[in-house]
Amino acid sequence: MKRAVCPGSFDPATNGHLDIISRAARLYDEVVVAVLINESKACLFSIDERIEMLQEIVADYPNVRVASFRGLLVDFCRSQGISVVVKGLRAVSDFDYELQMAQMNWGLAGVETLFMATNPLYSFLSSSLVKEVAKWGGDVSAHVPDVVAQRLAARLSREREAER
Ligand code: PNS
């Protein structure tokens, strides 16, 4: 069985993430969407919330499942029998860091990385930008799955209430 991983923080998942996940699902028998547990990074959504949202987002893809991991991605890959990481490349600015990680992951454990050219519709999109726009009241509903738009609205209105 050919298994690939789409790793990330997914805080929150965007339509750009879903584009890469769904295209990877056409190339591999199974795709594992792996959410990094990183206690030292301040996230808007908890790990459980991010997993719940992703599970809803990928529910229509029978060969996609969601998992979480701590530590090195290559250790997660080894534990799950995964030999390929699939990453979206939005622009040249992504390339430097992604190349470093890909080379490190290959050197550490022979795990390959497949770079997928992002659909140009999503080349400007990032989780940070979505949070920034939503925080200041901008409409992000065209850029994220419905469940994310709803949870973002609920979370940010709760935060605004708390600030009053
Ligand atoms: O969505 P992000 O935050 O850009 O995803 C980055 C992620 C999770 C893919 C990357 O930070 C990662 O793989 N972290 C796990 C720790 C690890 O393996 N680090 C060495 C990579 S060479």
Side-chain angles (χ1 to χ4, degrees), residues 7-154:
S9 303
F10 302 104
D11 184 44
T14 67
N15 287 343
H17 289 124
L18 180 58
D19 173 57
I20 298 296
I21 294 165
S22 61
R23 287 160 61 197
R26 289 201 287 270
L27 297 177
Y28 293 94
D29 299 317
E30 186 179 48
V31 171
V32 182
V33 179
V35 189
L36 176 67
I37 303 173
N38 181 359
E39 280 92 359
S40 58
K41 188 171 167 185
C43 287
L44 180 63
F45 292 102
S46 71
I47 186 75
D48 289 342
E49 289 173 310
R50 282 177 277 152
I51 290 172
E52 274 169 28
M53 285 188 274
L54 279 164
Q55 278 169 339
E56 202 170 320
I57 292 164
V58 302
D60 290 341
Y61 300 90
N63 62 334
V64 178
R65 67 183 164 89
V66 182
S68 60
F69 74 106
R70 255 197 189 85
L72 290 179
L73 178 60
V74 290
D75 290 336
F76 175 76
C77 289
R78 205 177 283 132
S79 74
Q80 304 277 315
I82 294 170
S83 54
V84 183
V85 179
V86 176
K87 285 290 197 79
L89 275 188
R90 288 167 296 192
V92 178
S93 49
D94 280 344
F95 186 73
D96 269 0
Y97 184 51
E98 291 297 341
L99 183 67
Q100 282 173 24
M101 285 199 287
Q103 290 171 329
M104 179 61 85
N105 286 336
W106 190 82
L108 284 170
V111 171
E112 297 286 1
T113 299
L114 179 103
F115 291 125
M116 209 175 251
T118 296
N119 182 328
L121 279 175
Y122 309 122
S123 49
F124 62 92
L125 197 52
S126 70
S127 300
S128 328
L129 214 52
V130 161
K131 283 183 283 191
E132 171 86 8
V133 171
K135 182 179 163 191
W136 296 107
D139 180 9
V140 293
S141 57
H143 308 303
V144 294
D146 287 348
V147 61
V148 173
Q150 286 155 15
R151 295 247 191 156
L152 261 175

